[in-house]
């Protein structure tokens, strides 16, 4: 831990106009959430074309306009696709109505092919401070990590509050972990989130530095987030907002 | 200059070949026949060349490499060009060659036609007249290009500015360290070893670091003294820095001007394209370069339905833009809703199926415009550009995101539709019920209408009958009228006759009574006749008497004449008998005078000549005397000489040899003098021999001359004698002739006397005869009196005879006339009776007719109703309703399917990922109809390839772009719409405006030519020129602003005073709508415009940066801090008192004319204060153009007592305009009023700021720096 801190300090002091006025290390609580989700395998097929094939199969459609009104899709798009489907022999017109050819029926069957997969689980990491999932790996604890104080602006009662998430947010987090994929014409996508379970809370260390640029007389914070392995602007901004005025008093009035 | 429209019709054209052309063609086909049989016809683009030295018009035919598929295949997509000469019977090909695939074929200078080339000999195809005419009208391409080239060269200056530092090679430099700033958006390279002369070239260059693939950003600032280079990092590299992954192996940076150069290249390409006629609108070159561009003025304004709420000016702008054909210009002052107008135009275009390009100089403006477009299925927006430079608002429209955008949009619409599903069936049922109800009521109406129709039919029959009757009555009336007219005529006629007769009778009777009876008259006439005879005789007698007296007189005259002739003859005979004896002319003359003989003209001449001769002879009298004297003198001298024994012979020979001239003439006097002188000599005694000899000589010479004169005299005498004889004989002849003539006339006179004597006797006898017939001869009046009496009597006689005849006639007629009078009086009475009858009947018929017409009118009213049409309409409506019922029924029946499809579609779409949307994304891009990009990016190659032409190009913030930048999007538009405001700031070059940069270059420049060019650029703003010169139909100013509180707006209205419209405030209630809700030490609720005056004293003065031109003002910073703290508190209070929502923040913009001051404001806000209720945006005034905030604080910085009174950037009214027009609710100026209104050097500036101050004062907004009111 000290070597990392030293390295970071070193980097910050590259600029000789900058003085580290204060440094600290503390920990940020990270919730590990187990997500149960069900992926499906399905053919890659343009959805509008698929939908149109289905519509031609189920409903009596005579004009592009009609379909455009049902699907609320631009008539131009519908016309273009009707044209393509006509040329590739997927649809034909009988008694003024569109209908699927054998080839079209076959294509649609393939298109709506969906194979539900076994339920899978993944663990994703959530920070109440960030109010978002963070993509990173919990590393083995560094020496002295256990003694770190908790981040001073962490959300109150974060250990007791039951967390709830947007489905979109979770899928995004899962996607970030590359759980979706594709093979040839087939793609695997997450169709539904079955459940989320909070497993445990890790405290991951963060290194805080308060810097002063003498030349410009500017104070600012730098926080290295060891989970993300980057300078965390979210945390930096929070500290800047909350403490900047006090730094000036504290460190310059001396 | 309009692009020549192509008639699709193919034309046959004779094509002849030179051997050269044939040879070239044979590389591609067996011969020309085979070549041109390759396709039925060819689409070619004909370019006209200048007339050559033979007077021929050469043309070049570019074969289209897209539409001519077979040929294009053969040429592998390259362009075939055939050089031809235009001939009356066709085209003569002179050469054929191939050019690259990318050579443009279709340009504004070329004529596009589809030609069928006929190559057979004597084919008779000729050159179609239409083609010939079109080619004749075609401009010569080179000339047009030259014109454009010449005009566009005036824009070179803009490129020069950009090129100023661009022509440098890449600079490579090592550095020792690098550091990032607090936000990781800037990198500072430290300890760089850039060469001395290269430091000032670095700014603006793009930077790449050895070991990284792409350039990392752009040089923002350099500090030569500290050897630091500040680089603005691209987002990708900012992220890297945050991750601490920034560990370049080599500490070496390369600075390059690649991006500037490529930008200039694109701008130059724009110039070339315009030159080569590649603009989508062929009129563009005129619009850009003609002083008063001729543009097609729309003849009709379009009638539009608007999608946005628009004020009158905005409506005018949209209608104008939609109606214009070439160009429309919109002047939009701050806050007047330019973006709304642009959005509406895009929507209208989309509805009309047109594709629009929205371009602007900055990415921000493009994104701003796009984001304001209504979310609408008809509009498919695409944002083109480098993703990293596109703002958040525009990101959803970039190609990779439009699938998602479309998905969101469609899902929203579906969601709404699906949520209405439960209601849908009910709605449809209700609709059907309503339709049915309407059908029933319409059916009832139809029944009523049917009855009406029957009634109408009956009425029609009656109407016809009545019409017929009326017609009859009318006919009768006409007949009566005719009869009456005739009767009236007759009446007049007979009345006339009766009156005439009675008048005549009266006249006749009067006449008869007034005159004597016929017998009396006869007597009178007889008496008168006798008197007349008597008078006639008397007259004759008088006349005869007169005549005989006259003849007597004549006879006497004749006898006298006879006697005169006789005496003349006697004279002549006497003269001729005397003539022989006359020998002297003088005597002859006396005789001629005595006998009154006048010599003939010739004779007179001879006499004159003789007189002259005689005179001559007389003059010789002296010469005789002289001769004698001379001879005696000679004798004397000879005597003397002989005495002295001088031989006379010697003297004579002397005379001959001494050369004395013998021809000399002498006057008599001279010779006498000569002799006198000799005498004097002799008497003087001084004579000697020699002198005597000389005198003798002289004497002899003179003697010779005298003798010569003597000879002449002798001859004259002989001549005169002859002449006299001749005269005498001529005279005698003349006398003889004269005598003969006189004798002739004598005998004539004799004859005459005899005749006259006889006539006289005859007359005298007659006189005696008449005399005997006359009774008395006393008192006979004179001849004249007699003649007058005779005339009187004869006329009296005639009159009496006439009266006698008339009386006879009248007596005969009188009875007849009396009969006639009686008959016509009777007839007259009859006619009067008939007339009375006629009048009675007419009256009756008339009243009958009126009655009939009254009834007809009633019928007519009934007939004008149109129950048939109404019924027809009702029936159609019923049919329509039934159709609608069917459709709705069908819809209702389909509802389950439709709804299930919609649900399914919703689910499917919701789960769709990027793969699923890929095709839709492609469809979207293909059908995108509003495309946004920056001016310069619109010339990027991939964009050019995908979107070569737009129906409409809208360019926003035109005044902020340079003409070369504007040209790029303009080239692509068939129609161009420019939106801007020339009262705001012009283009920025770095941190300075274009004007300032130009001025700087001007100062540096040595070349006059360049100076001249640059000055021109300074003067002309393309937008301003167009806006001023275009006709009213093609421009408008948006004059209603919605941003500012009316009080704030008042500060900028002076800038727009010259325009046609006054800038107005569109806010219905400024105080309510722009209430800042704050109440504090500095600001009261009703304040919207404040000027905090900084004293013009040393402690408040500006300061200048040591190593730069930028300035700052600490005192103003201090005041701003106080104001901000005050505002933060006021906002908090407003929240506490419930005027503002808890989570709301006041948006505050702090701006300044100076970058350094802005930097210090930033630091102040970030480092020294912490405001919980305010959010900030700071920037220079220039950077703030286009933005708006609730509250604006303007730090004016300049404050000094320098003599120069320079206020620098603040002089530009456009900058002040921008600064003043950013605030919605509250504008606070912080600066020295004294400095700007009285110390400023330029008069215009002083006036401008004084006007501003007076506006502030009027609103009680003038305060000291602590916010206390000032007067």
């Amino acid at each position: 831990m000290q070597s990392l801190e030293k390295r970071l300090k070193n980097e910050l002091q590259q600029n000789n106009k900058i003085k580290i006025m204060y440094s600290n290390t503390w920990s940020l609580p990270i919730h590990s959430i187990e997500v149960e989700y069900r992926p499906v395998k399905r053919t890659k097929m343009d959805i509008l074309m698929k939908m149109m094939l289905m519509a031609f199969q189920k409903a009596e459609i005579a004009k592009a306009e009609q379909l455009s009104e049902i699907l609320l899709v631009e008539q131009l798009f519908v016309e273009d696709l009707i044209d393509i489907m006509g040329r590739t022999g997927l649809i034909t017109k009988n008694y003024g109505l569109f209908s699927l050819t054998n080839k079209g029926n076959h294509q649609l069957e393939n298109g709506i092919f969906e194979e539900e997969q076994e339920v899978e689980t993944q663990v994703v990491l959530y920070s109440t401070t960030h109010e978002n999932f963070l993509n990173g790996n919990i590393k083995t604890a560094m020496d002295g990590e256990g003694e770190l104080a908790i981040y001073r602006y962490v959300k109150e009662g974060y250990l007791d509050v039951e967390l709830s998430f947007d489905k979109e947010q979770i899928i995004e987090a899962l996607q970030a972990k590359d759980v979706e994929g594709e093979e040839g014409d087939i793609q695997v996508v997450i169709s539904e989130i079955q459940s989320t379970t909070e497993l445990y809370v890790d405290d991951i260390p963060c290194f805080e530095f308060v810097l002063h640029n003498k030349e410009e007389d500017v104070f600012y914070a730098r926080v290295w987030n060891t989970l993300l392995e980057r300078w965390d602007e979210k945390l930096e901004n929070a500290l800047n907002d909350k403490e900047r005025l006090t730094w000036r008093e504290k460190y310059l009035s001396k | 200059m309009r692009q020549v429209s192509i008639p699709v019709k193919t034309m046959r054209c004779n094509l002849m070949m030179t051997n050269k052309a044939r040879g070239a063609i044979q590389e591609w086909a067996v011969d020309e026949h085979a070549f041109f049989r390759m396709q039925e016809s060819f689409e070619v683009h004909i370019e006209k060349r200048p007339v050559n030295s033979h007077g021929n018009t050469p043309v070049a035919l570019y074969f289209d490499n897209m539409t001519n598929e077979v040929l294009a295949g053969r040429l592998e997509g390259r362009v075939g060009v055939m050089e031809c000469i235009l001939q009356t019977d066709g085209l003569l090909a002179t050469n054929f060659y191939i050019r690259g695939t990318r050579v443009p074929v279709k340009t504004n200078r070329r004529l596009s036609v589809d030609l069928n080339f006929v190559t057979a000999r004597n084919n008779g195809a000729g050159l179609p007249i239409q083609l010939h005419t079109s080619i004749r009208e075609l401009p010569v391409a080179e000339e047009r290009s030259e014109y454009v080239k010449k005009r566009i060269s005036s824009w070179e200056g803009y490129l020069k500015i950009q090129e100023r530092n661009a022509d440098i090679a890449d600079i490579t430099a090592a550095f020792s360290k690098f550091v990032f700033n607090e936000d990781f958006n800037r990198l500072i390279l430290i300890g760089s070893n850039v060469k001395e002369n290269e430091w000032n070239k670095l700014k603006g260059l793009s930077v790449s670091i050895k070991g990284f693939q792409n350039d990392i950003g752009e040089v923002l600032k350099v500090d030569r003294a500290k050897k630091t280079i500040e680089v603005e990092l691209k987002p990708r590299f900012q992220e890297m820095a945050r991750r601490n992954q920034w560990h370049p192996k080599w500490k070496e940076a390369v600075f390059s001007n690649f991006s500037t150069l490529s930008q200039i290249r694109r701008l130059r390409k724009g110039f070339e394209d315009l030159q080569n006629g590649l603009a989508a609108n062929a009129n563009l070159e005129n619009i850009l370069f003609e002083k008063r561009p001729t543009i097609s003025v729309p003849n009709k304004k379009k009638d539009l339905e608007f999608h946005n709420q628009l004020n009158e000016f905005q409506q005018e702008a949209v209608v104008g833009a939609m109606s214009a054909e070439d160009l429309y210009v919109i002047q939009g002052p701050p806050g007047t809703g330019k973006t709304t107008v642009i959005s509406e135009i895009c929507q209208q275009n989309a509805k009309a199926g047109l594709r629009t390009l929205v371009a602007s100089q900055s990415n921000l403006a493009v994104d701003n415009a796009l984001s304001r477009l209504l979310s609408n299925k008809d509009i498919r927006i695409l944002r083109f550009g480098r993703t990293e430079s596109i703002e958040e608002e525009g990101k959803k429209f970039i190609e990779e995101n439009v699938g998602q955008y479309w998905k969101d949009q469609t899902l929203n619409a579906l969601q709404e539709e699906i949520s209405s599903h439960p209601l849908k069936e009910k709605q449809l049922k209700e609709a059907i019920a309503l339709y049915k109800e309407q059908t029933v009521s319409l059916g009832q109406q139809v029944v009523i209408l049917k009855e009406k129709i029957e009634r109408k039919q009956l009425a029609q029959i009656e109407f016809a009958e009545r019409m017929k009757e009326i017609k009859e009555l009318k006919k009768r009336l006409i007949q009566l009228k005719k009869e009456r007219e005739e009767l009236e005529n007759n009446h007049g006629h007979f009345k006339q006759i009766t009156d005439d007769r009675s008048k005549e009778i009266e006249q006749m009777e009067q006449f008869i009574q007034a005159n004597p009876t016929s017998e009396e008259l006869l007597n009178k006439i007889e008496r008168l006749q006798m008197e007349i005879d008597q008078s006639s005789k008397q007259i004759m007698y008088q006349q005869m008497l007169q005549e005989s007296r006259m003849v007597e007189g004549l006879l006497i005259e004749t006898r006298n004449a006879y006697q005169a002739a006789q005496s003349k003859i006697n004279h002549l005979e006497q003269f001729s008998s005397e003539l022989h004896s006359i020998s002297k002319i003088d005597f002859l003359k006396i005789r001629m005078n005595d006998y009154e003989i006048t010599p003939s003209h010739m004779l007179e001449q001879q006499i004159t000549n003789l007189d002259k001769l005689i005179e001559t002879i007389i003059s010789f009298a002296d010469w005789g005397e002289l001769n004698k004297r001379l001879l005696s003198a000679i004798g004397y001298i000879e005597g003397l000489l002989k005495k002295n024994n001088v031989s006379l012979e010697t003297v004579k020979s002397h005379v001959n040899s001494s050369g004395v001239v013998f021809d000399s003439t002498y006057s008599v006097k001279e010779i006498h003098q000569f002799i006198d002188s000799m005498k004097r000599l002799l008497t003087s005694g001084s004579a000697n021999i020699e002198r005597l000899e000389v005198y003798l000589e002289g004497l002899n010479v003179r003697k010779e001359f005298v003798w010569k004169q003597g000879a002449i005299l002798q001859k004259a005498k002989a001549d005169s004698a002859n002449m006299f004889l001749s005269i005498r004989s001529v005279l005698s002849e003349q006398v003889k002739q004269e005598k003969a003539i006189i004798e002739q006339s004598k005998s004539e006179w004799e004859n005459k006397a005899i005749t006259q004597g006889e006539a006289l006797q005859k007359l005298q006898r007659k006189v005696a005869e008449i005399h005997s017939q006359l009774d008395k001869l006393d008192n006979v009046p004179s001849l004249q009196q007699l003649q007058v009496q005779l005339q009187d009597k004869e006329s009296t006689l005639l009159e009496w005879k006439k009266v006698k005849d008339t009386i006879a006639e009248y007596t005969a007629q009188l009875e007849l006339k009396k009969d006639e009078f009686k008959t016509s009086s009777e007839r007259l009475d009859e006619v009067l009776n008939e007339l009375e009858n006629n009048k009675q009947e007419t009256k009756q018929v008339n009243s009958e007719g009126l009655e009939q017409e009254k009834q007809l009118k009633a019928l007519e009213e009934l007939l004008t109703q149109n129950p048939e049409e109404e019924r027809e309409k009702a029936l159609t409506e019923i049919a329509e309703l039934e159709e609608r019922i069917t459709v709705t029924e069908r819809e209702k029946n389909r509802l389950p399917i439709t709804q299930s499809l919609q649900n399914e579609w919703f689910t499917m779409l919701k789960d769709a990922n990027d793969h699923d949307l890929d095709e839709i994304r492609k469809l979207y891009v293909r059908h995108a109809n509003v495309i946004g990009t920056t001016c310069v990016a619109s010339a990027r190659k991939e964009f050019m390839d995908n979107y070569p032409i737009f129906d409409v190009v809208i360019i926003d913030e035109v005044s902020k772009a340079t003409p070369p930048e504007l040209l790029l999007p303009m080239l692509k538009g068939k129609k161009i719409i420019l939106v801007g405001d020339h009262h705001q700031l012009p283009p920025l070059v770095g941190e300075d405006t274009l004007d300032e940069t130009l001025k700087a270059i001007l100062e540096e420049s040595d070349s006059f030519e360049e100076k001249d060019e640059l000055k021109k650029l300074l003067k002309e703003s393309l937008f301003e020129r167009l806006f001023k010169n275009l006709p009213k139909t093609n421009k408008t100013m948006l004059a209603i602003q919605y941003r500012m509180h009316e009080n704030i707006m008042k500060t900028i209205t002076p800038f727009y005073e010259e325009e046609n419209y006054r800038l107005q405030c569109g806010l219905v209630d400024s105080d309510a709508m722009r209430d800042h809700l704050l109440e504090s030490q500095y600001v009261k609720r009703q304040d919207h415009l404040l000027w905090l005056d900084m004293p013009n004293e040393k402690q408040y003065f500006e300061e200048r940066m040591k190593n730069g031109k930028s300035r700052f003002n600490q005192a103003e910073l201090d005041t701003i801090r106080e104001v901000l703290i005050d505002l933060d508190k006021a906002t908090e209070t407003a929240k506490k008192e419930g005027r503002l929502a808890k989570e709301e923040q006041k948006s505050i913009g702090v701006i300044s004319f100076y970058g350094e001051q802005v930097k210090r404001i930033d630091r102040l806000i970030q480092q020294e204060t912490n405001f919980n209720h305010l959010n900030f945006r700071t920037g220079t005034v220039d950077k703030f153009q286009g933005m708006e905030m609730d509250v604006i604080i303007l730090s004016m910085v300049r404050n000094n007592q320098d003599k120069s009174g320079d206020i620098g950037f603040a002089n530009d009214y456009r900058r002040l305009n921008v600064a003043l027009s950013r605030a919605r609710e509250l504008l606070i100026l912080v600066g020295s009023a004294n400095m700007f209104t009285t110390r400023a050097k330029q008069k215009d500036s002083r006036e401008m700021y004084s006007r501003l101050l007076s506006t502030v004062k009027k609103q009680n907004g003038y305060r000291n720096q602590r916010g206390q009111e000032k007067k």
Side-chain angles (χ1 to χ4, degrees), chain A residues 7-8 11 14-16 42 44-48 50-51 54-55 58-60 66 68-74 76-77 80-81 182 187 189 215-220 222 224 228-233 236 241 244-245 248, chain B residues 177-184 190 226 239 241-244 247 377 380 406 410 413-414 417 894 897-898 900-902 904-905 908-909 911-913 915-920 923-924 926-927 1159 1163 1166-1170:
Chain A
R7 202 191 85 212
L8 294 171
E11 300 233 339
Q14 284 281 312
N15 187 347
N16 49 20
R42 65 175 193 231
K44 278 201 275 180
M45 183 181 181
D46 174 58
I47 49 160
L48 182 55
K50 199 197 289 181
M51 189 62 222
M54 281 164 70
K58 289 183 184 169
E60 294 178 346
Q66 206 182 330
S68 158
E69 274 169 19
I70 294 174
L71 300 183
L72 307 183
V73 167
E74 288 88 333
L76 278 169
F77 291 14
D80 266 24
L81 285 183
E182 54 184 291
Q187 55 177 340
V189 294
E215 193 179 43
E216 294 176 22
D217 186 19
V218 164
F219 276 98
Y220 59 97
R222 280 270 183 266
W224 181 261
L228 297 174
E229 290 184 302
R230 60 177 280 159
W231 298 109
D232 189 327
E233 63 262 55
E236 287 172 5
D241 276 358
R244 182 135 59 186
L245 284 181
R248 184 166 293 274
Chain B
K177 270 202 298 191
F178 58 83
V179 293
F180 297 97
N181 72 338
E182 60 266 37
D183 298 324
F184 286 104
I190 299 171
K226 294 181 189 161
E239 183 61 24
R242 276 214 175 268
R243 291 182 173 280
N244 209 358
H247 303 293
K377 208 169 71 175
R380 289 171 293 280
W406 182 89
T410 312
L414 270 172
E417 182 72 18
R894 275 193 200 147
I897 294 180
T898 306
S900 87
L901 282 175
Q902 282 172 345
E904 203 155 350
W905 177 222
M908 205 193 282
L909 193 58
D911 291 343
N913 57 28
H915 284 302
D916 304 328
L917 292 168
D918 200 44
E919 193 65 32
I920 284 170
L923 280 170
Y924 187 101
R926 190 183 317 148
H927 293 292
K1159 207 171 144 194
R1163 213 192 68 84
Q1166 281 171 15
Q1167 296 289 323
E1168 297 181 14
T1169 52
N1170 192 9

